[in-house]
Amino acid sequence: MDQSDIREFHILFERMLRCMTDSEHFDREKFVQALEELAALFRLSKGVTEFYRTERAEKDGEGEIMIDYDLGKKDHPVLSYRILSKSKSVIISTLYMADDEKPLEEEELEKLDLILNVLVNFIARNRFEASLERLGYYDDNGYPNIRYYMRYLESLIAEEGTLSGYTAACINLRHFSAVNQEYGRKAGNLALRNYYDELADAAGNDGVVCRMGGDNLVLAFRKILTEKVMRILSGIPVICDPEGNKRVLVYASAGVFNIPKDAPAGAGDIVSRIYTAMLTAKQNPETPVVYYDEKMLSERDKEAEVNLLFPKAIENNEFKVFYQPKVDIESGRIVGAEALCRWFRGGNIVPPGDFIPVLERTSEICRLDFHMLELVCRDLRRWLDEGRQTVRVSVNLSRKHLSDADLKDHILEIIDRNKVPHQSIEIELTETGTEVGFQSLKRVAEELQENGFCVSVDDFGMGYSSLNLIREIPWNVLKIDRCFLPTDDEPESSITSRMYGHVISMAHDLGLECVTEGVETSKQVEILRKNNCRFAQGYFYDKPLSVEEFEDRLNRGNYSISK
Ligand code: C2E
Ligand code: MG
Ligand code: MG
């Protein structure tokens, strides 16, 4: 190398180093240009970098080969480097020279050795960072993950100072497990990929869609794209086979947050808001899209409070039984009562609607139901011991019990320990929407009946009523939900009025006892009478009563029929 070559080497080498160390503004073009000029200076004909994720991949020849510099006349290698990185990936760099070129001098080889050494280490570091990025910000299937989402939002906040131009959403694909079950996992994965691509397309270049795990996705997009995104959320057909012949309908339950100007700034705040709204959407199939509002967070806090206070509340006997009479409308006689739970908390009575759905989500409801059964048994035992007249008391059992294989033993243990006759207890069960649930319901109802308990189907007519439910399960009592009971101003010809009559005659035909719930007016009592429904429960007779009030009610005898 003459003096000018050495000078040129220094200039180029420095230029290359400068490109490499300025990590914030890495200029690839300048970097490649410096490398090419260096290659020309050393009379190289080709430079190849090979990258293997593992040593095994290297052995099997499965890697990425990058030709960094190629003059098209490779002949013999003059220098080669192989390094094993910390993450166990392998990088090999080889330089070639054409046979007709002047061989490299000792001094040139030394300099080239230095360049290659620096270069390979630089590539190793870049690759390592890319692996870290892949591990940290993408899931196993290559979808950007929740950390990617959080980082994306944080960088938007840093750049724009606010997210108020954006809408964020968290979605859960509805019935997606059914797609997997019906068409297979592969088809499910393909459908998810295609759905994801549609969403990513709608969210545009300055939006993002990430996978939160399973069939949950989070997205952020400019507000003007809302309509486009919503169209996809409300359901689109997507291809689910490689040939493109089969399509499934994919739709979502979504929690959406139109980020306002004064929204709390952190990405964490946004995620917790859209997640909360999504959970609400998921619980309620009628509202597949739920827009976040601040009330939801306080609802969530209330829910957390219920879960936190529940164990102590049960120990402190804060849950009490209220009894609502069931009445024979012909004689005014009290023929039974339903045990309904009330929570006495800090001087207030909390109605079941505020805590039962919460406890159902964690299955703590089972503990509460057994506690209620215990309290009812103690009352019945006491009434029997005091020589009072008793009535059959029905206790509600949540669907959550259905998967409990020892449910019958648990119930028997409580009732027998209190020495309560089995015919004094009725168990109210509600319908379920799944086949598995149906089979469990059948098993539970049969087991309870075999042990002499009366079993009723609660809220019949709401939710998942099916004729199969009354054909396959030997119920004793059908409790007709108040949504089936015509209101005072309902004409006799209305669908509700006619169905009500038919449901009752069908139940009677099948030998079932009928109770209509939610009877509030004398006109409704008339409707029951006309339709031969003999038993009623409702505010017309009494609201649920405390134990003292109920005992008093029993003492007073029948209701007046002309009431
Ligand atoms: P449910 O089992 O269908 O109970 C009947 C509900 O209707 C009770 O509400 C009762 O107060 C109300 N009701 C009765 N008559 C009338 C009326 O004339 N008009 C109107 N508008 N409502 C009437 P409550 O006590 O608030 O209970 C609500 C639900 O909470 C119950 O519905 C039941 O599903 C659940 N629940 C209550 N206690 C328990 C319990 O101990 N365990 C379980 N698993 N669920 C319970
Ligand atoms: Mg009930
Ligand atoms: Mg009911």
Side-chain angles (χ1 to χ4, degrees):
M1 283 180 113
D2 61 21
Q3 278 307 318
S4 78
D5 283 346
I6 293 176
R7 207 169 331 114
E8 182 152 10
F9 164 73
H10 280 300
I11 293 169
L12 289 173
F13 190 49
E14 203 200 314
R15 208 187 318 151
M16 184 185 99
L17 283 179
R18 223 178 306 126
C19 283
M20 286 177 355
T21 46
D22 187 0
S23 55
E24 262 189 37
H25 308 102
F26 178 73
D27 189 333
R28 198 184 151 75
E29 226 168 88
K30 265 195 194 156
F31 180 68
V32 170
Q33 198 192 341
L35 278 184
E36 286 188 353
E37 286 179 38
L38 274 168
L41 186 66
F42 289 93
R43 307 181 295 287
L44 298 173
S45 59
K46 184 164 175 157
V48 179
T49 311
E50 294 160 53
F51 178 81
Y52 302 94
R53 270 187 218 299
T54 58
E55 285 185 280
R56 166 124 224 136
E58 181 193 10
K59 238 192 210 155
D60 297 343
E62 287 170 2
E64 288 170 55
I65 312 279
M66 289 173 288
I67 315 246
D68 296 316
Y69 175 68
D70 193 352
L71 273 186
K73 36 181 198 157
K74 159 194 142 176
D75 274 323
H76 62 279
V78 287
L79 206 59
S80 188
Y81 253 113
R82 175 185 182 278
I83 71 158
L84 184 64
S85 76
K86 272 189 192 153
S87 59
K88 298 286 176 226
S89 55
V90 178
I91 293 164
I92 302 170
S93 248
T94 313
L95 301 175
Y96 296 85
M97 184 174 239
D99 287 343
D100 54 4
E101 279 293 352
K102 194 173 115 213
L104 290 166
E105 297 161 12
E106 192 68 21
E107 192 194 358
E108 283 178 318
L109 258 177
E110 265 173 34
K111 291 197 163 47
L112 208 50
D113 188 54
L114 173 70
I115 297 173
L116 203 58
N117 200 335
V118 170
L119 209 61
V120 170
N121 276 296
F122 175 67
I123 293 169
R125 200 193 73 198
N126 270 354
R127 279 284 166 175
F128 185 58
E129 279 172 4
S131 302
L132 279 185
E133 169 86 10
R134 211 177 37 246
L135 284 174
Y137 293 97
Y138 290 82
D139 70 10
D140 291 347
N141 298 302
Y143 292 98
N145 63 16
I146 184 73
R147 276 191 294 271
Y148 187 104
Y149 186 71
M150 304 280 280
R151 187 177 62 170
Y152 189 87
L153 293 187
E154 292 294 359
S155 73
L156 277 181
I157 294 166
E159 267 170 38
E160 305 191 12
T162 167
L163 286 176
S164 63
Y166 282 84
T167 294
C170 176
I171 70 173
N172 174 263
L173 302 186
R174 282 157 69 195
H175 312 303
F176 203 68
S177 53
V179 174
N180 282 329
Q181 270 168 23
E182 199 165 319
Y183 299 96
R185 270 210 99 68
K186 248 194 192 158
N189 288 344
L190 201 59
L192 179 64
R193 169 59 66 188
N194 288 331
Y195 189 75
Y196 173 92
D197 288 345
E198 292 280 349
L199 267 181
D201 195 35
N205 286 340
D206 36 359
V208 69
V209 185
C210 300
R211 189 176 177 199
M212 219 171 37
D215 53 2
N216 294 307
L217 302 171
V218 278
L219 43 158
F221 47 89
R222 289 232 178 249
K223 278 181 180 162
I224 43 163
L225 296 171
T226 302
E227 208 181 301
K228 215 170 160 191
V229 174
M230 287 302 152
R231 223 173 295 133
I232 296 174
L233 297 188
S234 63
I236 52 159
V238 292
I239 287 169
C240 70
D241 69 328
E243 292 78 38
N245 297 328
K246 252 189 255 153
R247 295 195 310 168
V248 279
L249 200 60
V250 177
Y251 45 106
S253 295
V256 180
F257 184 31
N258 276 323
I259 304 171
K261 271 209 175 68
D262 55 355
D269 299 308
I270 306 286
V271 171
S272 84
R273 277 159 173 74
I274 54 178
Y275 187 67
T276 305
M278 185 276 282
L279 288 181
T280 312
K282 206 175 151 183
Q283 277 157 22
N284 201 346
E286 281 100 61
T287 51
V289 175
V290 169
Y291 285 86
Y292 173 81
D293 74 55
E294 288 300 322
K295 255 195 273 150
M296 270 175 198
L297 268 201
S298 65
E299 286 291 320
R300 203 186 58 178
D301 291 348
K302 266 194 218 150
E303 190 163 331
E305 199 186 7
V306 166
N307 286 322
L308 186 76
L309 296 177
F310 176 71
K312 266 261 159 317
I314 214 164
E315 265 175 39
N316 295 345
N317 262 320
E318 292 176 21
F319 295 99
K320 309 278 181 210
V321 188
F322 271 48
Y323 293 91
Q324 187 175 34
K326 292 181 193 170
V327 182
D328 175 345
I329 60 167
E330 295 308 334
S331 61
R333 196 167 54 92
I334 301 179
V335 291
E338 175 172 8
L340 293 158
C341 183
R342 298 289 180 269
W343 184 355
F344 284 72
R345 201 172 110 197
N348 295 315
I349 301 183
V350 188
D354 287 3
F355 58 90
I356 284 187
V358 177
L359 298 176
E360 279 195 315
R361 284 196 266 285
T362 59
S363 291
E364 284 284 49
I365 186 67
C366 297
R367 228 178 122 193
L368 180 69
D369 284 348
F370 290 137
H371 181 69
M372 289 289 289
L373 180 62
E374 176 79 43
L375 297 181
V376 166
C377 286
R378 282 185 206 162
D379 281 341
L380 276 165
R381 186 65 256 158
R382 187 168 49 78
W383 295 333
L384 288 167
D385 290 344
E386 289 169 2
R388 291 170 189 263
Q389 212 192 322
T390 60
V391 290
R392 191 169 76 200
V393 177
S394 66
V395 175
N396 291 283
L397 278 197
S398 157
R399 288 187 192 119
K400 288 277 167 166
H401 290 278
L402 296 182
S403 53
D404 176 4
D406 302 318
L407 175 65
K408 175 201 69 185
D409 295 335
H410 215 132
I411 291 176
L412 278 175
E413 190 279 320
I414 297 172
I415 295 170
D416 292 344
R417 180 165 37 76
N418 285 286
K419 298 197 176 56
V420 167
H422 292 192
Q423 67 271 20
S424 299
I425 296 287
E426 177 177 326
I427 303 287
E428 293 192 10
L429 297 162
T430 41
E431 311 147 56
T432 73
T434 64
E435 176 58 23
V436 179
F438 186 86
Q439 292 309 331
S440 312
L441 190 61
K442 187 164 187 246
R443 175 182 57 84
V444 168
E446 285 169 355
E447 280 183 351
L448 292 172
Q449 276 183 333
E450 279 161 19
N451 284 280
F453 301 109
C454 195
V455 193
S456 50
V457 55
D458 197 2
D459 303 337
F460 183 78
M462 257 207 4
Y464 311 101
S465 312
S466 79
L467 294 178
N468 238 8
L469 181 87
I470 31 182
R471 191 179 63 178
E472 303 266 324
I473 305 179
W475 303 102
N476 302 94
V477 181
L478 195 70
K479 291 195 76 184
I480 301 172
D481 191 76
R482 65 169 203 275
C483 71
F484 253 100
L485 175 65
T487 49
D488 279 4
D489 47 12
E490 189 115 23
E492 273 182 38
S493 59
S494 80
I495 294 185
T496 306
S497 299
R498 278 149 53 196
M499 278 183 80
Y500 177 69
H502 287 307
V503 166
I504 290 165
S505 46
M506 179 183 68
H508 284 160
D509 256 6
L510 297 169
L512 297 178
E513 197 178 279
C514 272
V515 179
T516 301
E517 301 182 86
V519 178
E520 292 182 345
T521 64
S522 57
K523 209 164 168 198
Q524 285 179 320
V525 175
E526 241 353 273
I527 294 173
L528 263 70
R529 193 166 283 129
K530 265 199 197 142
N531 287 286
N532 291 324
C533 180
R534 188 145 167 214
F535 303 109
Q537 179 184 339
Y539 295 169
F540 176 72
Y541 294 100
D542 263 312
K543 291 200 163 175
L545 306 170
S546 68
V547 64
E548 297 79 15
E549 288 169 326
F550 181 60
E551 286 171 2
D552 190 42
R553 180 67 254 178
L554 281 174
N555 287 341
R556 277 191 281 141
N558 295 358
Y559 290 91
S560 123
I561 330 174
S562 58
K563 195 172 173 275

